[in-house]
Every structure is written in structure tokens, then in C-alpha cells.
Amino acid sequence: MKSWIRSIRIEAEGIRSLELCPQEGRFPAVEAGAHIDVHLPGGLVRQYSLLAGSHEGQYRIGVSLDPASRGGSRAVHQALNVGDVLEISEPRNLFKLDESQASTSVLLAGGIGITPIHAMAQRLQALGQPWHLFYCVRSRHRAAFLDELQQLEANSQGLGRLDVLIEDEMNGARMDMDAALAPYKSQGSHFYCCGPAGMLQAYKQA
């Protein structure tokens, strides 16, 4: 599908978002957790999760600049401009949100892993279902979309809870995964996690 870049925003240190609009008609509908393939300059193709606020009229993606980038994230940060045309795929969802009622949906995100988790929190709120989001970042400067998440929590009428864990403000300590998940394990809760390998391993063990 042909899209064009309507806006590029710096969301945090090393993280920017792109708002993509269809050149013709409308995009396919979006599910929370879905991603798209984006064809970048130099013949590169990369997959990016769709952010909260994506719909048939616009898709939003968030991209972190990887210091070890093989060209994908570097192209997004250095080669793209507002107005550029990009080929993208239709959304695919390998990280589906279970929309059946849970006592609470527990959402865990590390760094740029917030992108699909953010969309899940928004969708759960639209469904009137409770959610608890743990967002882990190395520093406050790298906490992308924090204002949007705080506003989502403020508008949740008590359904949503956001805990932001910032390593630099915790003397370098990491999230205690066992302690975070333990209160929910016997309550019929649903659990979702997206983040770096170390976080995913701790999540699996917990």
C-alpha cells in the first residue's frame, strides 16, 4: 500500500514517531498488537508495531535508533522527511490482545516495547476493561509516549493503572518481575510483555 508521511515527531531521546496516511482511500482496520512492514530507502524492509491512535485514516509507528542498526532505524531517523512516500504492508497481528473479559490485563513494556503495549492499553480502556501497565525505561529522557500514557490513565475512571520504573532513578535496579506479577496470578488475569531479551526471560520465569 502507498502511504505518505504526514508528520515526524521526536517522542524521547533516540525515539521518533511517524504518522502515515494513505495516498488513496483508507487503510485496513487495525487490531491492538498488530504490525506493518515498512519499505525503507536502500531496499530495506522492517517491521514496526502500530501505536495507539492508529486507524483507517492514519497509522502511527514508533522507532528507536539502534546504535547497532543495520540500516533500518538509521534510515527512519536520518533519511525520511515529511511528505515522503513509503510502501507499507497491510497489518498483521502475531501478538493478539484477548478481548474476552479478564479480571485485569497486566501489560509489561521495556523501552521501545511500549509500542504494541500502548495500543493494547488504549483498546482495553475502550472496551471498559481494567489494565495495569508496567513501563520500564533506562532514563526519563527515553520514556516515549509517557504523556499519552499518563493521560490515558487519568481518563480511565479508575480502570487503568500506570507504573513507570526508571532505572536511573532506582540506583540501576531492575524491575522485580515476581513481585509485580504475584498479586495477579490467581485472579484470572491476562499477561502481555514486550521488551528486550532480559526482560522477556524474567517474565517467562515469573
Side-chain angles (χ1 to χ4, degrees), residues 73 83 103 136 163 181 202:
S73 66
S103 59
C136 304
D163 284 327
L181 301 188

Side-chain angles (χ1 to χ4, degrees), residues 24-45:
E24 295 182 357
R26 298 176 70 78
F27 287 140
V30 176
E31 296 178 338
H35 70 274
I36 57 172
D37 296 340
V38 179
H39 295 254
L40 297 168
L44 300 171
V45 181

Side-chain angles (χ1 to χ4, degrees), residues 151-170:
Q151 190 62 51
L152 190 67
E153 180 189 34
N155 294 338
S156 71
Q157 299 182 327
L159 282 176
R161 177 179 171 184
L162 172 66
D163 284 327
V164 182
L165 297 94
I166 301 172
E167 284 186 29
D168 286 358
E169 299 174 13
M170 299 167 59

Side-chain angles (χ1 to χ4, degrees), residues 4-11 16-21 58-61 80-84:
W4 63 280
I5 302 173
R6 181 158 66 185
S7 69
I8 298 174
R9 290 182 52 186
I10 298 173
E11 302 289 353
R16 59 176 50 191
S17 68
L18 276 62
E19 182 181 313
L20 306 174
C21 295
Q58 68 172 35
Y59 287 169
R60 294 177 69 211
I61 59 173
L80 297 182
N81 298 288
V82 171
D84 285 353

Side-chain angles (χ1 to χ4, degrees), residues 157-193:
Q157 299 182 327
L159 282 176
R161 177 179 171 184
L162 172 66
D163 284 327
V164 182
L165 297 94
I166 301 172
E167 284 186 29
D168 286 358
E169 299 174 13
M170 299 167 59
N171 296 318
R174 299 290 180 91
M175 175 183 179
D176 187 335
M177 192 71 70
D178 288 320
L181 301 188
Y184 295 104
K185 285 187 177 180
S186 61
Q187 297 184 10
S189 301
H190 295 166
F191 298 86
Y192 303 85
C193 183

Side-chain angles (χ1 to χ4, degrees), residues 66-81:
D66 184 352
S69 172
R70 293 173 297 158
S73 66
R74 190 180 304 116
V76 172
H77 280 253
Q78 299 176 3
L80 297 182
N81 298 288

